[in-house]
Amino acid sequence: MPLSDYVAVRDRIVNGVSRIDTRVLAGRYRLLNPLSEGGSGTVWLAADETLGRDVAVKEIRLPPDLDPVRRQETYAAALREANLAARLKHPSIVTVHDVIIEQERPWLVMERLSGASLEQTVRNRRPLPVHQAARVGVGILSALAATHAAGMVHRDVQPGNVFLTRTGRAVLTDFGLAVVDGEVTSGRTGHLVDAPNYAAPERLRGERGTPASDLWSLGATLYFAVEGLPPHPAATPIAAISRVLTEPARQPERAGALGPLLMLMLDPLPEARPSFETVARALEELAAGRTATTPPPASTPAPAPAPVPAAAPHRPQPAPALRPLLQPRGAALWAAVEVAVVAVVIGATMGVVHLSADRTVVEKPAALSEKPGAFATPVDLCKLLPVASVQRLLPALNDEGKPTSNGGCRWTVSGLGLEVRPSGLNKQWGKSPRQAHELFVNERNNAIPSGQLAWSWSDIQAGARSARSTGPLPVAPVGNEAFGYDVYENRKTGRLEQSFVVLRVDNLVVDVGYTVVDGSEDGPSIRAGAHTAATWIANALNKQKAGG
């Protein structure tokens, strides 16, 4: 097509007057028509009048009231993306030709791709067949290998950043969140939840991210390609964060022979994910229409330690329990003192990071009193929950709670149990709210195990069980500050078995856990049980504190 045909291709009606859009950037790139629009800007088809070729120009849209500092940071990020992408030459990585600052905004000049993103393709048509999704995976995995070999981690692999050309090539785009080895990333934590459905659990916990994190994101992206939805479907970004952090991926229904590989790539533990070489071989087999051998897990779980006595199981991560509580048939509940405001607990030793749909805010805790707290002596935890309340969680319960040797209390029936226990080195209180907060922080940062463990509880017919736990996770607000953690069955099923909430009220710190041992309840119901019990305890403590 002659270059003259590119000029003035778009008529616009502005205030009733027709005009031709002939914007030219840097005296060279003539903007033609938009290719796609998003919250952060527009990608334009443009004509490079110097070289006589089509290009794509990414316009970074800045809010008009953006302060000068943030504006400069955005300019720097655009330059950084161009510099990173320019280092990489690979057929499955989009080529960036130029970057321009004009009209008070950044513009990235990129290779013109003809086709649509994976997200658009699946949403506008239907999920891809397995062999085609595997072919996409081969290309993007190769692109990621090249990225990692250059000392970078992409950190934003998602369906919207995978482009499918009309020639069948899969291209990885948008290096705006990529990091180079040794680079400081603290100034970009706000991007953490841009696409939480496709961010690895460790990324959502505030960690930097590694090649294994990109592998998880690729697994989630290919899952979307064949299933038409992410592996942790959720209605809101916050709900997605919670589900990625606290639940195993939804079992795929359409993935066929690709399904087992995807579930391995989506393992919540980075070290348990298969190697790039193993995934590449499996994807190549599937892309060729052959049945791939499912690779074994990256590592074999360590032999289970000796069974934990019939006391409380070890703890990991809870999620905001926001759906109605279901009546459990095979459950056990635990509890201990400590409460928070949280959205997600990551980050600084004495700080809490709140993740919202559009921003991340690091908040220092309010000044806490050094004076003696409201609870000067140990609290009788057995009296906090009457049997009538506990029966809402454990319907067959008839007896009162039984005290334990460490100051907690336990309710049990066949297959079910509830326990309230002190949290943190067999202490449930500090002399002051400040000391209790320090105990809470120590529990959150140091005392919650992550990895393989064994537990048992003979009173509820839970024999020695192999499980894995995760670290601190978000819970809905309860008490003064709180976090949660979960315990999952071994990786054969990945079923959630126990959910815990650690909370603080004034100078008390408590652990609350709810357990279903027969598989009769799903993860959200188990987490709802733990959160419900923690709320009861926090309310009872606050009433006692107020003299009620």
Side-chain angles (χ1 to χ4, degrees):
M1 176 185 272
L3 184 60
S4 59
D5 289 350
Y6 289 123
V7 180
V9 298
R10 237 174 111 221
D11 282 341
R12 285 186 176 179
I13 304 300
V14 180
N15 296 325
V17 178
S18 176
R19 69 176 177 84
I20 302 299
D21 190 339
T22 56
R23 281 190 286 172
V24 178
L25 302 176
R28 172 176 180 177
Y29 304 107
R30 186 176 300 277
L31 302 183
L32 303 177
N33 58 283
L35 295 172
S36 64
E37 299 250 8
S40 61
T42 303
V43 177
W44 294 81
L45 171 65
D48 180 347
E49 296 184 333
T50 299
L51 297 180
R53 63 180 177 181
D54 282 350
V55 293
V57 176
K58 179 180 177 182
E59 172 188 5
I60 309 297
R61 185 179 301 125
L62 304 181
D65 58 347
L66 196 66
D67 65 79
V69 173
R70 288 292 297 132
R71 190 173 294 274
Q72 287 304 122
E73 289 176 351
T74 305
Y75 293 166
L79 289 168
R80 180 181 164 281
E81 178 180 351
N83 289 333
L84 287 175
R87 298 187 200 180
L88 303 170
K89 301 300 180 185
H90 190 280
S92 286
I93 296 177
V94 66
T95 301
V96 174
H97 300 307
D98 199 357
V99 63
I100 302 162
I101 303 295
E102 192 163 305
Q103 301 174 12
E104 297 189 350
R105 70 192 65 162
W107 307 73
L108 296 181
V109 182
M110 301 176 294
E111 167 190 11
R112 164 73 169 112
L113 299 173
S114 180
S117 71
L118 175 61
E119 182 175 34
Q120 292 171 318
T121 300
V122 171
R123 295 201 187 284
N124 295 342
R125 300 175 191 172
R126 61 180 183 275
L128 305 183
V130 169
H131 73 278
Q132 186 178 353
R135 193 158 57 240
V136 170
V138 170
I140 301 303
L141 190 73
S142 178
L144 288 173
T147 301
H148 300 157
M152 289 182 267
V153 180
H154 188 277
R155 305 203 316 161
D156 198 21
V157 180
Q158 56 170 294
N161 290 338
V162 172
F163 197 92
L164 306 182
T165 71
R166 291 196 175 121
T167 61
R169 184 164 55 115
V171 180
L172 183 61
T173 68
D174 204 335
F175 280 72
L177 296 187
V179 292
V180 181
D181 287 345
E183 182 182 30
V184 177
T185 63
S186 58
R188 298 198 305 280
T189 56
H191 292 290
L192 182 63
V193 292
D194 276 0
N197 279 24
Y198 303 98
E202 61 272 19
R203 289 264 348 274
L204 293 179
R205 287 194 292 268
E207 298 172 23
R208 176 188 179 89
T210 65
S213 305
D214 280 350
L215 187 70
W216 192 99
S217 297
L218 176 59
T221 297
L222 296 179
Y223 186 107
F224 172 84
V226 291
E227 295 290 312
L229 74 171
H232 299 84
T236 67
I238 290 298
I241 292 170
S242 172
R243 296 199 67 180
V244 171
L245 287 171
T246 63
E247 298 180 22
R250 166 187 173 273
Q251 285 292 330
E253 298 173 357
R254 304 169 53 102
L258 181 58
L261 177 65
L262 294 178
M263 295 303 284
L264 289 175
M265 296 170 71
L266 292 168
D267 195 293
L269 300 177
E271 62 273 17
R273 295 166 202 156
S275 68
F276 270 63
E277 294 77 10
T278 298
V279 174
R281 286 195 298 270
L283 289 175
E284 287 167 359
E285 290 292 311
L286 291 167
R290 297 187 290 270
T291 300
T293 302
T294 302
S299 59
T300 303
V308 177
H314 264 299
R315 38 183 175 213
Q317 69 197 72
L322 301 178
R323 65 164 66 177
L325 178 64
L326 302 178
Q327 288 287 356
R329 291 188 294 104
L333 180 65
W334 319 66
V337 182
E338 210 173 352
V339 176
V341 287
V342 333
V344 168
V345 183
I346 44 182
T349 303
M350 299 295 283
V352 176
V353 175
H354 301 275
L355 297 187
S356 67
D358 58 353
R359 64 194 182 96
T360 301
V361 179
V362 179
E363 178 180 294
K364 294 295 182 182
L368 296 174
S369 173
E370 298 284 358
K371 296 180 180 179
F375 306 100
T377 59
V379 174
D380 185 350
L381 298 177
C382 289
K383 294 181 179 179
L384 293 181
L385 296 179
V387 171
S389 293
V390 179
Q391 284 175 336
R392 293 170 56 186
L393 296 171
L394 313 177
L397 181 69
N398 293 313
D399 299 329
E400 297 288 340
K402 297 191 171 56
T404 65
S405 59
N406 66 359
C409 198
R410 179 179 300 159
W411 293 258
T412 60
V413 295
S414 178
L416 303 165
L418 165 65
E419 183 175 78
V420 180
R421 56 188 168 90
S423 178
L425 305 177
N426 292 322
K427 294 173 61 179
Q428 72 180 64
W429 66 91
K431 181 178 180 181
S432 67
R434 167 58 67 182
Q435 288 183 347
H437 169 73
E438 291 173 354
L439 173 62
F440 173 85
V441 171
N442 180 68
E443 186 83 347
R444 187 189 70 202
N445 292 347
N446 302 311
I448 302 304
S450 177
Q452 298 297 318
L453 55 86
W455 69 279
S456 64
W457 191 357
S458 59
D459 292 347
I460 60 170
Q461 288 73 54
R465 308 166 82 89
S466 174
R468 57 183 174 81
S469 64
T470 58
L473 292 171
V475 294
V478 55
N480 299 128
E481 52 185 332
F483 67 88
Y485 60 91
D486 290 342
V487 171
Y488 289 87
E489 194 178 20
N490 63 33
R491 66 184 58 177
K492 289 183 180 178
T493 65
R495 183 178 66 85
L496 177 66
E497 289 194 326
Q498 306 175 50
S499 184
F500 298 82
V501 175
V502 179
L503 60 100
R504 179 181 67 83
V505 174
D506 199 68
N507 63 316
L508 289 183
V509 181
V510 177
D511 229 348
V512 180
Y514 184 68
T515 302
V516 178
V517 298
D518 65 357
S520 61
E521 301 299 331
D522 61 10
S525 299
I526 296 172
R527 280 189 293 274
H531 191 271
T532 296
T535 301
W536 288 342
I537 290 167
N539 290 342
L541 289 172
N542 281 319
K543 182 177 179 181
Q544 185 173 336
K545 176 184 173 183

